[in-house]
Amino acid sequence: EERIELLTTYSILARKAGHPVRSVLFLQEAEKVLGTDLDQASQSNLVRGLRVRWQQARSCWQLGESQRALSVGRCVADLIEHRAVGDADARWQAKVLATVGCWLHRTSMESTDSIKDKMHRAIQLGEPVHYTKPRLRLAEILDAMVASFNSRETSLTASVDRELTKKTEEHIANLSRQIQTLQQQGQSKSAEAQQAMMQLRMLQNNLARDNSKAEETKKQFCSLVLEVVRTFGQCLTVKAAPKMSAKVVCRFLTLWFDSQNVIEGVTAEVDNLIPHLQ
């Protein structure tokens, strides 16, 4: 046991000193000493084995081997979530889940809901031991999603889509006038009128589908903004390092001021949080 702890410590020190390859070598030696299948391990060996594997994941990430880091990291996170690891260092368990959640977000390896579930689990583990970083990491992930949405909305593709929508609306208006003219001339059953009406229905259906999609996207965005405002606000309800608090306050206020007149419910979220702010 002492040798495993010593090798794990050496691995951590090597990784922090910028020597991830040496860190991996220490971990490989620790795994040989451990020599246990984690799925069948006893409680004490499970915790030690998870720590060894986690250091391996972090070293792989530092080496740029993101796929391998995620493979090992997800295995560790799954065992923490689904097997009774116990209360052994809840702070460490929360850190593992939050870090894996951040990795998954950076690599887009899982759905947003799956990532948020992992982060919420990290928050649950961390709160009893006053470990607040998982909530901040979740807020940063949500904030990045908001920034990504805004970037898409100002992109050339979005501009082209809006222009196409405008042209479709103009085409629909022109077809409607053409059909009305034909009807006034008593040619409502003519081939020209029938073709115009068929084209009109097709354009109207396409426009309705696009508008419905745009409305759903807008609802998702509004919900996301409310969630990120709420999460940054919740970060301010607990004591944190001054540097972290200053960063959170700045972003919280920016989101509030930028969206309060655009997204319904933002001011209400802030009003609910104010009595609880530190």
Side-chain angles (χ1 to χ4, degrees), residues 164-222:
L164 288 174
T165 297
K166 182 179 178 181
K167 288 185 178 300
T168 299
E169 291 172 343
E170 291 174 354
H171 199 177
I172 287 173
N174 290 336
L175 282 171
S176 297
R177 285 194 292 269
Q178 180 185 349
I179 292 169
Q180 186 178 14
T181 300
L182 290 170
Q183 288 173 339
Q184 291 173 349
Q185 295 173 350
Q187 300 181 39
S188 58
K189 293 185 179 181
S190 66
E192 183 182 359
Q194 293 299 314
Q195 184 178 6
M197 283 189 286
M198 185 169 58
Q199 191 175 5
L200 176 63
R201 283 193 294 270
M202 181 186 70
L203 289 174
Q204 287 174 331
N205 289 337
N206 290 342
L207 183 62
R209 184 176 62 250
D210 291 344
N211 287 341
S212 177
K213 184 179 178 180
E215 186 63 27
E216 182 60 30
T217 300
K218 182 179 178 181
K219 287 181 181 178
Q220 291 175 353
F221 175 69
C222 291

Side-chain angles (χ1 to χ4, degrees), residues 25-155:
L25 292 175
F26 282 127
L27 293 169
Q28 288 174 346
E29 184 63 27
E31 284 194 292
K32 289 179 184 177
V33 176
L34 188 63
T36 306
D37 182 356
L38 293 184
D39 290 328
Q40 306 297 326
S42 64
Q43 186 70 17
S44 59
N45 279 343
L46 174 63
V47 174
R48 283 195 294 273
L50 288 176
R51 286 182 177 277
V52 170
R53 294 284 174 82
W54 177 240
Q55 291 307 320
Q56 183 184 25
R58 295 192 68 182
S59 295
C60 289
W61 185 267
Q62 191 172 350
L63 283 167
E65 298 178 9
S66 57
Q67 293 290 337
R68 187 179 179 193
L70 275 170
S71 177
V72 177
R74 288 164 93 175
C75 176
V76 175
D78 288 344
L79 283 168
I80 288 174
E81 287 189 275
H82 302 122
R83 185 169 169 184
V85 177
D87 295 329
D89 200 347
R91 181 188 180 94
W92 174 79
Q93 294 181 46
K95 185 175 182 178
V96 169
L97 294 180
T99 303
V100 172
C102 290
W103 289 354
L104 291 170
H105 169 66
R106 291 182 192 179
T107 55
S108 302
M109 292 290 289
E110 286 190 11
S111 68
T112 299
D113 288 339
S114 176
I115 293 170
K116 288 199 291 187
D117 287 344
K118 201 171 293 294
M119 299 304 290
H120 283 301
R121 176 62 179 146
I123 291 169
Q124 290 173 357
L125 284 168
E127 280 185 338
V129 293
H130 309 292
Y131 183 56
T132 58
K133 282 189 177 180
R135 191 180 297 281
L136 176 60
R137 295 291 172 263
L138 174 59
E140 289 171 342
I141 288 173
L142 296 172
D143 197 21
M145 293 177 182
V146 170
S148 178
F149 180 91
N150 286 330
S151 178
R152 289 197 301 271
E153 284 299 292
T154 56
S155 68

